[in-house]
């Protein structure tokens, strides 16, 4: 089995940060950095791998700025199941799409993928990482609910 080192994860974080900076709006990018930092803090507190939490938090909104058309096209092309609520509220799709992208593009493991999938709606199937990402997304320092 391939062992990923701390250094590998740090380099991966830096590479993904550069990619996200090119595809996300400045506001969304700053939020993603905030979630990454908060996820890392929470992971340390709850004795979970900090770099895994940081990576997952960083990528959690990778698909957030896709248009409705782009989202529906991605769903169809990748045979991702959606329910009626998601069909009518396309903004919810970014979680499932982002989870799929993270697995395909960055080889995220199942726990990381689930954490991204559940970061918006939550689920009874959430593990510790998923709970950390869910909370980090809600409480990161740049989050502004007044807008």
């Amino acid at each position: 089995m391939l062992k990923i080192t701390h250094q590998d994860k740090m380099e991966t974080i830096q590479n993904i940060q550069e990619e996200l900076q090119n595809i996300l709006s400045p506001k969304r990018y700053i939020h993603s950095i905030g979630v990454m930092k908060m996820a890392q803090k929470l992971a340390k507190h709850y004795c979970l791998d900090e770099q895994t939490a940081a990576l997952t938090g960083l990528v959690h909104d990778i698909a957030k700025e896709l248009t409705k058309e782009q989202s529906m096209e991605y769903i169809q092309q990748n045979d991702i199941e959606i329910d009626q609520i998601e069909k009518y509220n396309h903004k919810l799709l970014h979680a499932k799409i982002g989870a799929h992208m993270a697995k395909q593009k960055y080889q995220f493991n199942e726990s990381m993928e689930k954490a991204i999938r559940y970061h918006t709606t939550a689920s009874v199937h959430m593990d510790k990482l998923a709970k950390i990402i869910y909370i980090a997304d809600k409480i990161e320092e740049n989050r502004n609910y007044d807008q």
Side-chain angles (χ1 to χ4, degrees), residues 54-109:
L55 273 168
T56 308
L58 178 62
V59 176
H60 84 286
D61 268 350
I62 192 170
K64 180 75 173 182
E65 295 179 334
L66 295 178
T67 65
K68 181 178 183 178
E69 293 76 23
Q70 290 170 323
S71 295
M72 296 308 290
E73 183 178 331
Y74 191 93
I75 291 289
Q76 289 173 349
Q77 287 178 349
N78 293 282
D79 202 27
I80 298 171
E81 287 186 37
I82 61 173
D83 60 30
Q84 289 298 326
I85 293 170
E86 292 166 328
K87 187 180 272 189
Y88 292 108
N89 187 351
H90 77 279
K91 293 192 182 279
L92 295 175
L93 296 176
H94 83 279
K96 283 186 176 178
I97 294 170
H100 186 271
M101 287 179 168
K103 182 179 181 181
Q104 297 302 311
K105 186 170 181 143
Y106 304 119
Q107 293 74 51
F108 277 19
N109 66 35

Side-chain angles (χ1 to χ4, degrees), residues 28-41:
R28 181 74 46 212
Y29 177 74
I30 290 168
H31 168 68
S32 295
I33 297 296
V35 174
M36 175 186 75
K37 290 177 181 178
M38 182 55 67
Q40 196 167 17
K41 285 181 188 176

Side-chain angles (χ1 to χ4, degrees), residues 6-28:
H6 172 76
Q7 182 63 32
D8 291 337
K9 286 182 181 176
M10 294 307 294
E11 288 174 12
T12 300
I13 288 171
Q14 290 172 349
N15 292 338
I16 293 173
Q17 281 179 310
E18 290 173 14
E19 288 178 31
L20 291 178
Q21 199 163 22
N22 291 322
I23 63 171
L24 297 177
S25 67
K27 180 181 174 184
R28 181 74 46 212

